[in-house]
Amino acid sequence: MAENPPGQQIGKGMMILAWVGVFALLTVFFGNWEGRQINPNQNPESRIEGGVREVVLEGNRRHHYVASGEINGREVVYLLDTGASDVVIPAGLAKKLNLTPGARGYAMTANGRVEVRSTIIERLSLGAITLRQVKASINPGMRGQEILLGMSALKQVEFTQRGNILTLRQYEQ
């Protein structure tokens, strides 16, 4: 029985490590690429000029405006929804954000009538725009980690859509 030459085992081991490294890099690259396809606004373009705070968002591949932001200093992901009366937060996420459930109410959703709980968001941020004391609803039937950024927040800013770009402006008061 012939023995393997010295170094052949090391060479095979190095080749396996190289392929594992290539697969790991490809996994990271395509994971980030997929994330950018869903949320192209992970660091929204912002500027402040002459008392106007402006945030420019790009629509994703489904033509939705998804953007990263903050609620009370904690990172969140918003889906802008002009059809939602309030900012709507999944109950599980509201708990993680330490939002206090208030009065019970009802909302009409695509899935029908649901019971929700009111809450107030002390500080809601999207890029350079910051809103305070924003009315919101906690929806126990909503799954996932996206927050619907509805009209209780959007009515406080001016928004303009051109093509696949949505520009939000907040004027100093």
Side-chain angles (χ1 to χ4, degrees):
M1 188 172 212
E3 272 189 40
N4 292 334
Q8 185 175 7
Q9 289 296 94
I10 292 173
K12 284 182 182 180
M14 295 299 284
M15 184 64 82
I16 290 170
L17 281 175
W19 278 109
V20 167
V22 166
F23 286 127
L25 288 173
L26 286 172
T27 300
V28 168
F29 172 79
F30 283 109
N32 288 338
W33 177 81
E34 182 182 30
R36 286 189 308 274
Q37 295 298 308
I38 295 167
N39 180 0
N41 305 295
Q42 294 177 12
N43 294 302
E45 179 186 329
S46 298
R47 64 180 151 262
I48 303 170
E49 189 175 309
V52 179
R53 295 174 178 274
E54 185 176 271
V55 176
V56 178
L57 302 177
E58 178 185 339
N60 66 15
R61 63 183 177 203
R62 291 184 169 172
H63 308 289
H64 295 151
Y65 294 99
V66 176
S68 298
E70 292 183 356
I71 285 185
N72 299 334
R74 307 257 325 257
E75 290 185 15
V76 296
V77 175
Y78 300 116
L79 170 61
L80 279 71
D81 186 353
T82 58
S85 299
D86 288 341
V87 172
V88 183
I89 306 159
L93 182 55
K95 189 173 183 175
K96 289 179 187 175
L97 294 170
N98 296 318
L99 295 174
T100 305
R104 295 182 196 284
Y106 292 92
M108 287 304 293
T109 71
N111 293 325
R113 186 174 181 215
V114 301
E115 184 178 296
V116 296
R117 302 288 295 270
S118 66
T119 194
I120 298 292
I121 298 170
E122 296 295 324
R123 192 170 139 258
L124 183 151
S125 301
L126 176 58
I129 294 174
T130 297
L131 306 173
R132 298 197 182 279
Q133 300 297 307
V134 178
K135 182 180 173 215
S137 296
I138 299 170
N139 183 338
M142 200 170 150
R143 303 287 177 245
Q145 298 296 306
E146 281 183 352
I147 294 171
L148 298 182
L149 192 61
M151 292 307 293
S152 62
L154 294 174
K155 70 181 179 186
Q156 299 181 51
V157 298
E158 172 186 279
F159 51 96
T160 308
Q161 180 181 5
R162 288 203 175 126
N164 198 36
I165 301 296
L166 182 70
T167 304
L168 304 169
R169 288 184 189 88
Q170 179 184 36
Y171 296 92
E172 283 188 10
Q173 298 177 16

